[in-house]
Amino acid sequence: MKARDKLRYVSENFIVGKSVCNPPILELVKSSQQAESGGDFYAFLPHGFMVNEKVKETLSPLINNCGQWIPMKLGNETLFFFNITSLLDVLNDEQTEFETFEGFVVGIKKYVFINYDYSTYPVFRLQGNYGNFPIVTDRFKEFVEKQGLSGIKFKVL
């Protein structure tokens, strides 16, 4: 399978929150403008986040049921992308303020969540809203802070 086809297969599954069966190990290329991470989290993206092996081992007991770890190579270093597959329909559509463009929802101005037991899903994505970043609970935030992990900022929704 060509590298472009591997990337397409993986990214198509990421977008819709599906697990990737037998994921290929993708080799990442650092751009000339990319600065060193300086933290444990290398990237936090709409479909998941990229971390080093230490963070993977630290977070795994907390979040393994929320997605899958996919190894990737950056030079000699192995990084892990956590593909978040836990998609929750937890927005109160009546009270949430959506951003629209020509009748299509393109974002969220104000989040209003339904009463839900989030203890099983410390990290998740909103079902049907693929453009937004993952959402983490206080439990995830507190765990990350207690472990002293860096490279991630939290915003209250």
Side-chain angles (χ1 to χ4, degrees), residues 6-31:
K6 290 178 185 180
L7 182 58
R8 182 178 297 125
Y9 165 71
V10 170
S11 64
E12 286 173 353
N13 282 283
F14 286 173
I15 289 169
V16 296
K18 289 185 180 177
S19 292
V20 177
C21 297
N22 301 315
I25 295 181
L26 300 174
E27 187 168 339
L28 305 171
V29 178
K30 191 179 283 192
S31 74

Side-chain angles (χ1 to χ4, degrees), residues 4-101:
R4 183 177 44 196
D5 294 332
K6 290 178 185 180
L7 182 58
R8 182 178 297 125
Y9 165 71
V10 170
S11 64
E12 286 173 353
N13 282 283
F14 286 173
I15 289 169
V16 296
K18 289 185 180 177
S19 292
V20 177
C21 297
N22 301 315
I25 295 181
L26 300 174
E27 187 168 339
L28 305 171
V29 178
K30 191 179 283 192
S31 74
S32 59
Q33 299 129 321
Q34 185 179 17
E36 291 297 318
S37 163
D40 298 306
F41 285 83
Y42 286 69
F44 203 73
L45 307 166
H47 315 307
F49 48 85
M50 182 86 62
V51 297
N52 59 34
E53 188 167 6
K54 174 186 113 179
V55 176
K56 175 193 178 284
E57 295 305 318
T58 301
L59 290 177
S60 287
L62 180 67
I63 64 171
N64 270 354
N65 69 311
C66 299
Q68 75 178 134
W69 292 103
I70 298 176
M72 297 187 179
K73 296 294 279 181
L74 179 61
N76 292 329
E77 187 176 12
T78 299
L79 300 177
F80 295 88
F81 184 79
F82 189 70
N83 175 29
I84 299 171
T85 59
S86 53
L87 304 176
L88 302 182
D89 186 10
V90 293
L91 284 181
N92 178 324
D93 290 336
E94 306 279 321
Q95 296 178 357
T96 296
E97 292 180 26
F98 295 96
E99 291 181 45
T100 59
F101 177 76

Side-chain angles (χ1 to χ4, degrees), residues 92-123:
N92 178 324
D93 290 336
E94 306 279 321
Q95 296 178 357
T96 296
E97 292 180 26
F98 295 96
E99 291 181 45
T100 59
F101 177 76
E102 296 186 3
F104 293 96
V105 173
V106 294
I108 299 173
K109 293 179 189 176
K110 178 183 169 193
Y111 293 78
V112 178
F113 295 94
I114 63 171
N115 188 11
Y116 185 83
D117 179 7
Y118 296 93
S119 62
T120 306
Y121 301 103
V123 61

